[in-house]
């Protein structure tokens, strides 16, 4: 008995019933794949079966199922009354902060989708991390700093600058003083100031020490204060000594050596160009350059060495002492001029002389 051919509508409905209405739909006389968003040839069952087995359909189905599962998970999360914070969000926030990546990068749609696809997690908004996790990470970091410093002797450095909006921003760095090696260094505090003077910096200093030692400032453990040689910083050093009696204030040695280097040059840029053109043809130029290189090249080397991180304090002091000894042997008017400049810089840095 010959087979009775199904009409088109019934045949298309058979495919919908077989694979599910979430896979196929019927649009008039066309079988439409919702997953791939294309028309499917339905003349023969073989054609439909081949489409179901195609890579495009399989990958599309996997994405579809993932999205369904994610929505179900979001629904469960939203409806469940769970106060526990997400460990993924915490780790994500901590990773961004550690890598110095602004949290607002999570608002980039492409980046957010990338993270969702490959981490299989819902990516929180910047606001969620900032309000719910940043404080926890900050407190965890501060506890770590307090544990490392504990009751050790420390040095403190404060420097201020202005940002692009003209605000005064001051940073407070602390480090442990170790006997035989460089200690640990931490950024302890960063604040916006109304203005930069000895009064505002003094209050910042005390606030920062209170952050480090919330149970009570250990005044006798602050042995060294480092700053630039701005007049208000020099005044601040004198004011702080009344509270931190064991503290020595040292201004930046590298800044001082730069001023000595300016004495070696002893010209402004415009004059130097003209003088250079005139001096090239003068006799004795080679001897003068040899004198500068042999006596003052060590000045550049000392600046580079002092700018390196993790140098023990004893090594830093030795670098300055070696420069001082080498300048004591300078002769001639130029040499004496540089030597006098170095001595003037050292005399102003009273704390360094006491070390």
């Amino acid at each position: 008995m010959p087979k009775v051919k199904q009409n088109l509508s019934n045949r298309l409905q058979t495919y919908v019933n077989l694979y599910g209405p979430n896979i196929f739909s019927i649009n008039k006389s066309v079988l439409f794949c919702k997953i791939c968003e294309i028309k499917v040839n339905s003349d023969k069952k073989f054609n439909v079966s081949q489409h179901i087995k195609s890579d495009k359909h399989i990958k599309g189905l996997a994405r579809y199922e993932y999205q369904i599962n994610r929505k179900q998970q979001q629904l469960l999360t939203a409806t469940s009354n769970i106060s526990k914070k997400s460990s993924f969000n915490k780790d994500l926030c901590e990773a961004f902060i550690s890598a110095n990546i602004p949290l607002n990068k999570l608002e980039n749609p492409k980046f957010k989708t990338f993270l969702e696809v490959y981490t299989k997690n819902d990516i929180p908004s910047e606001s969620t991390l900032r309000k719910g996790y940043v404080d926890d990470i900050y407190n965890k970091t501060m506890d770590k700093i307090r544990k490392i410093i504990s009751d050790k002797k420390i040095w403190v450095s404060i420097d201020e600058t202005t940002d692009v909006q003209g605000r005064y921003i001051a940073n407070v760095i602390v480090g442990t003083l170790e006997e035989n090696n460089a200690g640990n260094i931490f950024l302890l505090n960063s604040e916006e100031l109304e203005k930069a003077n000895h009064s505002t910096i003094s209050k910042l200093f005390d606030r920062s020490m209170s952050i480090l030692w919330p149970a009570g400032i250990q005044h006798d453990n602050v042995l060294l204060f480092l700053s630039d040689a701005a007049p208000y910083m020099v005044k601040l050093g004198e004011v702080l000594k009344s509270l931190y009696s064991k503290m020595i204030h040292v201004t930046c040695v590298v800044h001082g050596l730069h001023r000595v280097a300016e004495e070696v040059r002893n010209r402004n840029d415009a004059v130097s160009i003209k003088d250079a053109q005139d001096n090239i043809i003068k006799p004795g130029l080679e001897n003068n350059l040899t004198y500068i290189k042999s006596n003052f090249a060590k000045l550049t080397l000392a600046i580079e060495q002092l700018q390196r991180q993790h140098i023990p304090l004893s090594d830093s002091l030795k670098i300055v002492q070696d420069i001082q000894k080498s300048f004591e042997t300078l002769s001639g008017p130029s040499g004496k001029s540089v030597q006098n400049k170095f001595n003037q810089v050292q005399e102003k840095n009273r704390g360094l002389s006491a070390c």
Side-chain angles (χ1 to χ4, degrees):
M1 185 176 179
K3 292 183 179 180
V4 179
K5 188 175 182 179
Q6 286 182 309
N7 63 43
L8 179 60
S9 177
N10 289 340
R11 188 171 74 252
L12 296 180
Q13 188 61 47
T14 300
Y15 295 134
V16 173
N17 295 338
L18 178 62
Y19 295 105
N22 59 319
I23 304 297
F24 287 126
S25 65
I26 302 172
N27 184 6
K28 295 182 180 180
S29 60
V30 174
L31 185 67
F32 185 80
C33 177
K34 293 181 178 180
I35 303 300
C36 304
E37 297 183 341
I38 60 173
K39 299 176 183 178
V40 177
N41 185 352
S42 60
D43 291 343
K44 296 181 179 180
K45 185 177 180 180
F46 171 79
N47 295 332
V48 178
S49 178
Q50 284 296 100
H51 173 77
I52 292 295
K53 296 177 182 179
S54 67
D55 288 342
K56 180 179 180 180
H57 183 84
I58 292 173
K59 291 179 180 179
L61 184 60
R63 285 195 301 270
Y64 171 78
E65 291 175 346
Y66 165 69
Q67 291 171 354
I68 292 297
N69 291 334
R70 189 179 69 174
K71 289 179 180 179
Q72 291 175 345
Q73 186 64 36
Q74 288 175 336
L75 182 61
L76 289 173
T77 303
T79 55
S80 61
N81 187 19
I82 301 176
S83 59
K84 184 179 179 181
K85 292 184 178 180
S86 165
S87 59
F88 173 78
N89 289 358
K90 175 181 173 296
D91 291 343
L92 179 67
C93 184
E94 193 166 10
F96 267 59
I97 293 174
S98 177
N100 201 25
I101 301 175
L103 295 180
N104 62 13
K105 296 298 182 183
L106 291 172
E107 303 303 318
N108 181 284
K110 191 74 175 178
F111 184 48
K112 189 171 185 177
T113 301
F114 171 84
L115 291 176
E116 286 177 339
V117 170
Y118 288 97
T119 65
K120 301 296 188 293
N121 281 284
D122 295 322
I123 304 303
S125 66
E126 173 208 0
S127 177
T128 298
L129 294 185
R130 181 164 43 81
K131 294 178 180 179
Y133 296 90
V134 170
D135 284 349
D136 292 343
I137 294 171
Y138 169 79
N139 291 330
K140 176 184 174 182
T141 302
M142 289 308 307
D143 288 341
K144 178 182 176 181
I145 293 174
R146 294 184 186 111
K147 184 177 180 180
I148 292 175
I149 291 181
S150 185
D151 58 353
K152 292 182 179 180
K153 308 301 182 184
I154 68 168
W155 58 265
V156 182
S157 179
I158 298 180
D159 194 19
E160 61 83 21
T161 186
T162 53
D163 64 9
V164 293
Q165 297 181 5
R167 297 174 298 184
Y168 294 103
I169 306 298
N171 296 311
V172 182
I173 298 174
V174 298
T176 57
L177 290 168
E178 309 290 349
E179 185 174 354
N180 298 317
N181 56 279
N184 294 288
I185 302 175
F186 305 100
L187 173 62
L188 180 65
N189 193 15
S190 184
E191 289 189 15
E192 178 186 353
L193 306 176
E194 292 183 5
K195 57 180 69 175
N197 56 40
H198 82 279
S199 177
T200 57
I201 301 293
S202 176
K203 293 175 182 177
L204 171 66
F205 192 104
D206 280 338
R207 285 195 299 271
S208 300
M209 295 303 98
S210 295
I211 291 173
L212 179 59
W213 291 302
I217 298 176
Q218 299 182 26
H219 294 83
D220 289 346
N221 282 356
V222 183
L223 301 187
L224 184 62
F225 172 46
L226 304 172
S227 74
D228 58 30
Y232 68 85
M233 282 294 192
V234 175
K235 184 176 181 180
L236 170 65
E238 295 298 324
V239 171
L240 290 176
K241 286 179 182 178
S242 62
L243 295 174
Y244 301 86
S245 58
K246 295 186 177 181
M247 187 190 78
I248 297 174
H249 178 213
V250 175
T251 58
C252 181
V253 176
V254 173
H255 287 177
L257 294 182
H258 271 292
R259 290 197 292 274
V260 176
E262 290 171 355
E263 181 66 23
V264 174
R265 186 181 65 181
N266 197 22
R267 291 287 189 275
N268 63 53
D269 291 338
V271 174
S272 294
I273 294 173
K274 179 64 169 60
D275 286 351
Q277 294 171 340
D278 294 339
N279 288 333
I280 285 175
I281 60 175
K282 286 184 178 180
L285 174 62
E286 184 176 351
N287 292 336
N288 290 336
L289 293 176
T290 301
Y291 176 82
I292 291 174
K293 182 177 181 180
S294 60
N295 289 285
F296 303 122
K298 61 191 71 175
L299 193 59
T300 303
L301 179 61
I303 291 173
E304 292 176 351
Q305 290 174 332
L306 289 170
Q307 288 178 325
R308 293 174 185 166
Q309 292 185 340
H310 309 301
I311 301 178
L313 180 60
S314 57
D315 291 355
S316 298
L317 291 174
K318 187 176 185 305
I319 292 171
V320 178
Q321 291 167 357
D322 289 345
I323 287 290
Q324 184 174 9
K325 289 180 181 178
S326 68
F327 282 178
E328 289 174 355
T329 62
L330 293 176
S331 59
S334 298
K336 292 300 180 183
S337 175
V338 173
Q339 183 181 355
N340 290 337
K341 182 65 176 182
F342 180 83
N343 291 336
Q344 290 172 7
V345 170
Q346 290 293 88
E347 288 171 4
K348 290 182 179 179
N349 201 347
R350 298 175 183 175
L352 182 62
S353 302
C355 292

